[in-house]
């Protein structure tokens, strides 16, 4: 499917409304899926002649959340809510909703693009030292004790496995 001009979209909508042509027939003539044509009609229904004038924008996390809450509270479909909020493509809302379901509100925030800041190995070591010095002595003692117990457990497990293997080998002989 290629891009369609506003004029072509308006003509298709007028033809649907005035000539009483079915979605399926008209979609076939225009060369789009009938669900796309339905969305165009919804946009026109809610926004009239401005239906296909979409300003380029970055949607804020608050706006995305408002759209998702609207869908959940009113039980509107993603497509219908997209038309009401004058969004160019319902798939945007599907992605927002999926992100929100997986990661909550934080997943809807706009991530800044640009060069990533890579830290040097020395800086990583420095950060680790700072983090470890921030730990209290009591926490460090607990962690040390836990690691000692884990180490003892693994040694005992290894000894048991070796003992079992030596028994199997002695039985074979």
């Amino acid at each position: 499917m290629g891009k369609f001009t506003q004029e072509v979209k308006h003509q298709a909508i007028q033809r649907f409304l005035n000539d009483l042509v079915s979605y399926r027939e008209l979609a076939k003539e225009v060369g789009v899926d009938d669900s796309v044509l339905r969305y165009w009609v919804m946009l026109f229904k809610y926004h009239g002649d401005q239906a296909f004038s979409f300003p380029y924008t970055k949607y804020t996390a608050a706006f995305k959340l408002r759209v998702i809450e609207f869908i959940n509270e009113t039980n509107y479909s993603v497509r219908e809510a997209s038309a009401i909020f004058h969004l160019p493509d319902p798939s945007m809302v599907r992605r927002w909703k999926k992100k929100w379901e997986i990661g909550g509100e934080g997943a809807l925030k706009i991530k800044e693009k640009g060069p990533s800041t890579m830290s040097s190995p020395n800086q990583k070591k420095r950060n680790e030292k700072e983090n470890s010095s921030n730990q209290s002595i009591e926490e460090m003692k607990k962690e040390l004790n836990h690691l000692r117990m884990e180490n003892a457990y693994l040694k005992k497990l290894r000894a048991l496995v070796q003992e079992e293997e030596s028994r199997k080998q002695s039985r074979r002989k």
Side-chain angles (χ1 to χ4, degrees), residues 10 13 24 44 46 59 98 100 107 130 139 149 165:
H10 279 291
I13 291 167
R24 196 169 279 165
F44 185 79
Y46 288 110
Y59 299 101
K98 193 172 189 176
W100 176 76
E130 287 175 10
E139 288 174 334
M149 289 187 327
E165 286 176 357

Side-chain angles (χ1 to χ4, degrees), residues 12 19 21-22 36 40 65 71 75 79 84 90 104 114 118 122 139 158 163:
D19 297 347
V21 181
S22 74
V36 173
W40 290 354
L65 186 61
I71 291 168
N75 289 327
R79 189 176 301 275
I84 291 169
M118 294 182 66
N122 292 339
E139 288 174 334
R158 188 180 304 129
E163 185 180 318

Side-chain angles (χ1 to χ4, degrees), residues 124-161:
K124 287 181 184 176
K125 288 179 185 175
R126 214 176 300 127
N127 289 343
E128 288 174 10
K129 285 181 183 177
E130 287 175 10
N131 288 342
S132 65
S133 66
N134 290 341
Q135 284 182 323
S136 72
I137 294 174
E138 192 64 35
E139 288 174 334
M140 286 186 206
K141 285 181 180 178
K142 284 182 183 178
E143 185 178 2
L144 178 63
N145 193 29
H146 177 78
L147 292 171
R148 284 179 177 163
M149 289 187 327
E150 186 178 347
N151 198 13
Y153 174 80
L154 292 172
K155 283 181 181 178
K156 183 68 174 174
L157 182 63
R158 188 180 304 129
L160 290 172
V161 169

